[in-house]
Amino acid sequence: MRGFIGALLSSQDRWAFTRGDPLVKLGKMAALAGMAKAQYDQVVADEALKRAILEQRMAAEKEFSVQATPSFSFQGGGTIRNQSGNMPFDRFQQLVLEVRPV
């Protein structure tokens, strides 16, 4: 499963920004990973699953104060620091070091 998720994320530019239906591209990737078309179609049509994913995403956005993509939550030393938006690597490294246990 981890390999499939890696492949899915590394090829996001091919399916997320396609001129056609991204579900067709995702279906082809699922088939390559061994998922039967009937199972894929069932998952895509599952409204309860879609609702659960959306609710979980919205709860996480609220809990971690996500306001942009990317967003990071740095936790350490009893504190949580949220950082939204793009930042230089040096700033990201500084935030990691601030919460890193000694």
Side-chain angles (χ1 to χ4, degrees), residues 41-100:
D41 291 341
Q42 182 181 8
V43 169
V44 169
D46 188 336
E47 293 299 322
L49 177 61
K50 290 177 190 177
R51 196 170 31 260
I53 291 170
L54 179 60
E55 288 171 2
Q56 186 176 29
R57 189 196 86 202
M58 290 171 53
E61 285 176 0
K62 185 176 181 179
E63 178 181 352
F64 297 106
S65 302
V66 173
Q67 298 176 9
T69 301
S71 287
F72 302 95
S73 181
F74 298 92
Q75 302 178 21
T79 63
I80 298 174
R81 183 174 192 162
N82 297 313
Q83 180 73 41
S84 293
N86 194 12
M87 71 185 97
F89 177 78
D90 292 341
R91 176 68 178 138
F92 184 84
Q93 185 178 33
Q94 176 186 2
L95 291 167
V96 169
L97 292 173
E98 287 175 7
V99 297
R100 190 176 187 188

Side-chain angles (χ1 to χ4, degrees), residues 7-59:
L8 185 66
L9 294 175
S10 69
S11 65
Q12 185 176 6
D13 60 327
R14 290 190 297 250
W15 57 264
F17 305 107
T18 183
R19 291 178 188 235
D21 184 356
L23 293 177
V24 172
K25 296 273 188 188
L26 287 171
K28 290 178 182 179
M29 292 187 69
L32 289 172
M35 182 182 267
K37 182 167 178 6
Q39 184 182 11
Y40 175 78
D41 291 341
Q42 182 181 8
V43 169
V44 169
D46 188 336
E47 293 299 322
L49 177 61
K50 290 177 190 177
R51 196 170 31 260
I53 291 170
L54 179 60
E55 288 171 2
Q56 186 176 29
R57 189 196 86 202
M58 290 171 53

